[in-house]
Structures are given as structure tokens and as C-alpha cells.
């Protein structure tokens, strides 16, 4: 199967980050759909095919303990009580609005055959595959790097080994009109230089 050049560029151009407040609240992504997103992740490139991506999917009743843990971490922080309250309410609401919160993890190759930064790039490719495939399924989401990303306590909650890195969260939900959202970009000539001899 091959997309036309027009279809392919249009699909890439119209991918958008979709935030929980705009998810369709009347529906949730199914476990099968989430597995299909992970299938898309599976085909990302990685140097020496190390496949360093790992995901922990919090969905259904699994969301509650995650949010509880995030709130406990907030309470243990030095933040003022009003801030803790405000952020806790936001975390709870985002989880209610989402079908799943997926922890994005770089699982370092034990033999360290490639530099760490290459492994992180490969994980980002996997996340982009998820994002591109999500809207084919009527889903949407965004990559969040808040909520105690890679904090020691969060690392241990997620079961990370010393060399692994927690790279954030993919908030996933049902979203049918994601492709109508517009966000600007630089023009090609603003970020690319051609040296043609
Ligand atoms: C590595 C990474 C981290 C991000 N972290 C956040 C975040 O913490 N909070 C947020 O609102 N958006 C976050 N985003 C989403 C960006 O804000 C978003 O991609 C950008 O605004 C462009 O919008 P678009 O994805 O719809 O094109 C992140 C995106 C990436 C790739």
C-alpha cells in the first residue's frame, strides 16, 4: 500500500497535539485501539534496532492509582497548599477526560551499543508513529513532560532501571476533529540550508 505524495504530506501536516479538555468525553479508546497504537510504535527506526521504547499504559481503573501517586508527590513538594490543590484538581480532571495516560520510557540498551541520545531520538520516533496513527483511529493526544517526569520517585513507581529515562506522558483520548486545529511553523527556508555545490 502506498499513499500518494499529497495524502502523505497532508497527513503529516495536519497532525496536531490534542489536549484532554477537548477530548470527546462520551467515549473512551479501547484496549484494542491502544494496542494498535503500540503496534505503530513498534515500527519506529532505531540504530542497531535496539528498540529502546517502553510504555506503561494507565487506563480504566489503572488511572486512579497513578493520579493518586502524582498528587502524593505534589503534596510532598514544597509548593504552597493552594498550588497543590489547583494542580491536583488539574491532574484529576485531565485523567478523567483521558482514555489513557501512557508513560514514555527510554529503555537503555544493556550493551550501550549506541549513545543515549540516539536511543531518546528513537523513542521520539515511536511517539510520532503513535501520534500519526492515533487520528486514523479517531483518537488524539499530546506528549506532556510535566507531572514529575523522570523524578526519582516516579522512576521507581514506573520500575525503571538505572540507565532508563522517563521521557514524559502521552495523554490519549477520543478526538474526531484534531485535524482542524491550526498551529504555525517556520518556513522550510527558515530552518534548512542547501549546499548544492
Ligand atoms: C518532547 C515534547 C514535549 C512536550 N511537552 C509538552 C508539555 O509538557 N505540555 C504541553 O502542553 N505540550 C507539550 N508538548 C506539545 C507541544 O507543545 C506541541 O507539539 C506544539 O505546541 C506544536 O503543536 P502541534 O503538536 O499540534 O503541532 C510537547 C511536545 C514534545 C514533542
Amino acid at each position: 500500500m502506498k499513499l500518494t505524495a499529497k495524502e502523505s504530506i497532508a497527513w503529516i501536516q495536519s497532525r496536531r497535539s490534542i489536549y484532554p479538555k477537548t477530548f470527546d468525553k462520551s467515549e473512551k479508546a479501547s484496549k484494542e485501539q491502544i494496542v494498535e497504537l503500540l503496534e505503530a510504535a513498534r515500527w519506529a527506526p532505531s540504530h542497531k534496532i535496539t528498540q529502546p521504547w517502553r510504555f506503561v499504559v494507565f487506563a480504566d481503573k489503572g488511572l486512579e492509582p497513578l493520579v493518586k501517586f502524582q498528587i502524593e508527590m505534589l503534596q510532598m513538594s514544597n509548593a504552597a497548599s493552594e498550588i497543590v490543590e489547583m494542580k491536583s484538581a488539574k491532574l484529576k480532571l485531565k485523567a478523567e477526560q483521558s482514555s489513557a495516560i501512557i508513560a514514555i520510557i527510554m529503555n537503555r540498551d544493556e550493551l550501550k551499543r549506541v549513545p543515549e541520545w540516539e536511543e531518546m531520538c528513537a523513542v521520539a520516533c515511536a511517539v510520532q508513529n503513535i501520534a500519526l496513527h492515533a487520528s486514523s483511529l479517531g483518537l488524539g493526544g499530546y506528549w506532556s513532560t510535566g507531572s514529575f517526569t523522570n523524578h526519582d520517585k516516579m522512576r521507581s513507581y514506573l520500575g525503571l532501571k538505572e540507565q532508563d529515562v522517563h521521557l514524559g506522558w502521552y495523554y490519549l483520548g477520543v478526538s474526531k476533529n484534531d485535524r482542524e486545529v491550526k498551529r504555525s511553523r517556520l518556513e522550510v527556508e527558515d530552518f534548512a540550508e542547501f549546499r548544492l555545490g
Side-chain angles (χ1 to χ4, degrees):
M1 194 211 59
K2 201 167 175 219
L3 298 177
T4 65
K6 260 193 178 165
E7 286 167 344
S8 165
I9 192 70
W11 199 242
I12 293 166
Q13 282 172 335
S14 57
R15 178 216 51 80
R16 289 285 69 82
S17 296
I18 303 298
Y19 296 89
K21 60 174 183 260
T22 63
F23 290 159
D24 181 344
K25 316 298 182 298
S26 64
E27 263 185 89
K28 295 279 177 190
S30 66
K31 165 124 189 270
E32 290 69 31
Q33 287 177 314
I34 297 171
V35 171
E36 203 176 315
L37 293 180
L38 299 173
E39 175 65 25
R42 188 175 160 227
W43 291 99
S46 58
H47 192 179
K48 296 198 188 287
I49 321 191
T50 57
Q51 304 172 77
W53 41 84
R54 292 292 179 278
F55 299 98
V56 181
V57 179
F58 297 90
D60 294 325
K61 293 195 171 64
L63 282 164
E64 213 179 290
L66 171 66
V67 175
K68 189 166 170 269
F69 185 72
Q70 288 173 324
I71 291 174
E72 278 165 19
M73 288 192 66
L74 266 175
Q75 287 163 344
M76 281 188 286
S77 71
N78 294 326
S81 62
E82 317 84 77
I83 303 284
V84 171
E85 231 167 82
M86 185 266 288
K87 288 192 170 177
S88 301
K90 204 171 157 197
L91 284 169
K92 263 193 207 159
L93 182 65
K94 280 205 302 179
E96 279 162 21
Q97 292 166 332
S98 301
S99 301
I101 301 175
I102 305 175
I104 303 165
I105 295 160
M106 187 278 284
N107 174 240
R108 186 86 167 97
D109 173 41
E110 295 208 341
L111 300 175
K112 297 194 181 158
R113 288 171 293 169
V114 302
E116 187 190 52
W117 66 266
E118 294 196 37
E119 302 286 52
M120 299 217 200
C121 291
V123 177
C125 292
V127 176
Q128 178 72 346
N129 278 8
I130 289 177
L132 284 171
H133 193 52
S135 59
S136 307
L137 297 170
L139 306 175
Y142 87 106
W143 187 339
S144 161
T145 38
S147 310
F148 303 103
T149 289
N150 208 40
H151 186 289
D152 279 348
K153 289 197 169 64
M154 189 56 81
R155 291 174 54 83
S156 100
Y157 183 75
L158 294 170
L160 267 60
K161 291 190 262 95
E162 201 187 326
Q163 315 289 345
D164 299 346
V165 182
H166 175 213
L167 297 172
W169 310 94
Y170 195 79
Y171 278 81
L172 179 75
V174 173
S175 168
K176 311 276 186 218
N177 341 310
D178 55 332
R179 292 189 171 257
E180 285 154 29
V181 178
K182 300 263 178 286
R183 288 193 187 110
S184 69
R185 289 298 194 269
L186 297 172
E187 297 298 330
V188 170
E189 59 269 26
D190 296 328
F191 63 80
E193 174 191 338
F194 285 86
R195 298 187 183 189
L196 303 176

